[in-house]
Amino acid sequence: MVIGFTITKEDGQSRARLGLLNTPHGTVQTPIFMPVGTQATVKTMTPGEVRDCGGELVLSNTYHLYLRPGHELVAEAGGLHKFMRWDGPILTDSGGFQVFSLGPLRKITDQGVTFRSHIDGSEHFLSPEKSMEIQMALGADVVMAFDECIPYPCNYEQAGVAMERTTRWAERCRKRHDRGDQALFGIIQGGMYRDLRLQSAAELAALDFPGYGIGGLSVGEPKPMMYEVLNYLVPAMPRNKPRYLMGVGSPDCLLEGVYRGVDMFDCVLPTRIARNGTVFTREGKLVVRNAEYARDFRPLDPECDCYTCRNFSRAYIRHLIKANEVLGIRLTTIHNLRFVLRLMENIREAIAGGYFVEYKDDYLRRFKLD
């Protein structure tokens, strides 16, 4: 098997666990948060800065790289690792979420999805086979099966049709994928419906993928609903395979996801809100562009060890953002990324030390998003 996953410790009070994910480009510790490098770059940051923040495994986007610059060009450059100068593991998503989010610009059939580019309006067709072709050319360590994403809310019939199609597409992906140095993960769908989720998990487990994504969550549903899905779904997933909750990255959801047995996470949230002048602190969100911070000479978070907090004040960063200086959003991005990655480090330490549940409860008592 091109990747290996070893569980090194399981928490006695929750489903949290520590693991080692071995890939062709190195071994990473789980639970892990993966910074998102949509266009083969984590926005505003160099690969070295991502490393300095604690990044070990990054995610890139199949849909965007297919449209620009093209997977053939990336392959000609020697693959995604060489193209973006990242020597660690990379995961690429299938393009499914981006295609299905195009709404009226796309048409779904059992064969695949016809869509128009958001860049120039040109027409394209993406199928399970095409997604595999693109991802094999990109050369990531972990690639994802092409799935049908559904909106929230979604009725039972729609969720069932999409779930069954996702299973058929997973079989086609498995048949087409033949790159020996990549691991192909399946994606569980089924909306918010317990029987559909469990059916999807069982059918994909029968295909024996080396890992499994949980798709269709964090799409607008209330957080307690997401947690309830995880409560019954995670125990139905293969114990010895990595579990990847797709598109989740707020600190509270990371803690709750780990508590329920999730191993891998990704999300654009930390870097996206950073570009809007919002940062995470141990107390919750802080909108540093607000006027109240014009004369605040404290770091963004006095408890943070990132480059930004070691060197610059809220007042200075607010000045940069208000003046539209690029350094401002670089500094907030560095902070948010380090904040989330340090949280994952602390989570792993807490699991190893046997005090994860106490750590989670204490963290959430103090951390307020609203």
Side-chain angles (χ1 to χ4, degrees):
M1 188 176 292
V2 68
I3 71 162
F5 180 66
T6 305
I7 299 168
T8 58
K9 184 178 177 64
E10 294 182 281
D11 183 56
Q13 298 177 289
S14 69
R15 295 197 183 100
R17 59 201 198 159
L18 294 176
L20 294 174
L21 181 67
N22 299 303
T23 80
H25 286 85
T27 298
V28 298
Q29 302 177 73
T30 63
I32 188 171
F33 176 81
M34 300 176 285
V36 177
T38 300
Q39 310 263 16
T41 176
V42 177
K43 291 189 188 302
T44 79
M45 298 186 69
T46 68
E49 288 168 337
V50 175
R51 280 285 190 196
D52 290 344
C53 286
E56 296 183 83
L57 193 165
V58 300
L59 181 145
S60 284
N61 186 276
T62 295
Y63 165 83
H64 287 283
L65 294 176
Y66 160 68
L67 291 178
R68 185 175 53 193
H71 56 291
E72 297 97 341
L73 186 148
V74 175
E76 184 181 341
L80 196 52
H81 294 86
K82 289 185 178 179
F83 188 57
M84 64 186 289
R85 302 298 294 174
W86 175 259
D87 60 2
I90 299 175
L91 181 149
T92 48
D93 59 15
S94 68
F97 178 81
Q98 286 72 29
V99 168
F100 293 109
S101 67
L102 292 172
L105 296 177
R106 51 96 171 121
K107 179 181 178 181
I108 309 168
T109 69
D110 280 344
Q111 290 305 306
V113 185
T114 301
F115 66 96
R116 292 194 176 277
S117 165
H118 72 285
I119 299 171
D120 59 11
S122 57
E123 187 172 281
H124 302 267
F125 178 72
L126 192 57
S127 65
E129 293 78 11
K130 183 67 173 180
S131 177
M132 293 298 96
E133 175 191 325
I134 297 167
Q135 292 189 79
M136 286 190 289
L138 294 175
D141 301 84
V142 178
V143 301
M144 304 302 296
F146 192 58
D147 62 325
E148 180 174 353
C149 305
I150 55 175
Y152 174 83
C154 180
N155 67 42
Y156 185 87
E157 181 181 2
Q158 290 174 306
V161 169
M163 183 275 294
E164 291 172 355
R165 182 176 283 147
T166 291
T167 299
R168 294 194 298 272
W169 283 0
E171 293 171 344
R172 288 165 58 184
C173 286
R174 209 178 189 300
K175 184 176 180 180
R176 176 64 185 89
H177 184 264
D178 60 6
R179 180 161 176 165
D181 60 349
Q182 286 182 326
L184 171 63
F185 282 21
I187 302 178
I188 298 168
Q189 289 288 354
M192 305 301 154
Y193 301 99
R194 181 178 182 133
D195 60 331
L196 297 181
R197 282 283 181 181
L198 295 178
Q199 180 182 342
S200 179
E203 291 175 350
L204 291 175
L207 294 174
D208 196 28
F209 288 102
Y212 294 89
I214 303 170
L217 293 180
S218 191
V219 290
E221 79 280 4
K223 288 179 181 179
M225 184 177 288
M226 176 176 73
Y227 301 150
E228 179 55 32
V229 173
L230 294 176
N231 283 341
Y232 63 73
L233 179 58
V234 171
M237 297 172 68
R239 174 185 170 276
N240 62 335
K241 305 288 181 69
R243 306 156 177 165
Y244 165 27
L245 179 54
M246 307 176 74
V248 169
S250 65
D252 54 332
C253 292
L254 294 174
L255 285 157
E256 297 286 3
V258 170
Y259 178 80
R260 289 163 173 82
V262 174
D263 306 298
M264 302 167 65
F265 304 84
D266 84 283
C267 193
V268 298
L269 179 68
T271 51
R272 177 174 288 169
I273 66 171
R275 297 193 299 277
N276 294 324
T278 301
V279 296
F280 291 127
T281 74
R282 186 61 186 83
E283 307 296 332
K285 285 184 181 176
L286 183 151
V287 185
V288 71
R289 66 183 305 128
N290 287 353
E292 63 187 289
Y293 302 112
R295 287 179 170 79
D296 191 334
F297 302 109
R298 294 174 295 170
L300 295 175
D301 184 348
E303 299 180 30
C304 182
D305 64 357
C306 78
Y307 171 80
T308 301
C309 288
R310 294 198 314 269
N311 291 281
F312 303 104
S313 69
R314 298 175 181 183
Y316 178 65
I317 295 167
R318 178 183 183 272
H319 155 67
L320 294 176
I321 291 172
K322 298 296 287 186
N324 292 319
E325 288 289 345
V326 174
L327 180 59
I329 60 173
R330 278 178 40 75
L331 293 177
T332 54
T333 300
I334 288 170
H335 168 77
N336 275 357
L337 200 53
R338 175 57 187 156
F339 185 92
V340 172
L341 292 169
R342 187 183 182 210
L343 170 61
M344 300 309 294
E345 292 171 2
N346 291 338
I347 286 173
R348 293 193 295 267
E349 291 173 3
I351 297 171
Y355 57 91
F356 169 69
V357 173
E358 292 82 359
Y359 176 80
K360 176 184 81 75
D361 292 345
D362 177 69
Y363 198 101
L364 294 177
R365 272 192 294 269
R366 185 174 163 195
F367 182 85
K368 306 297 179 186
L369 275 178
D370 299 322

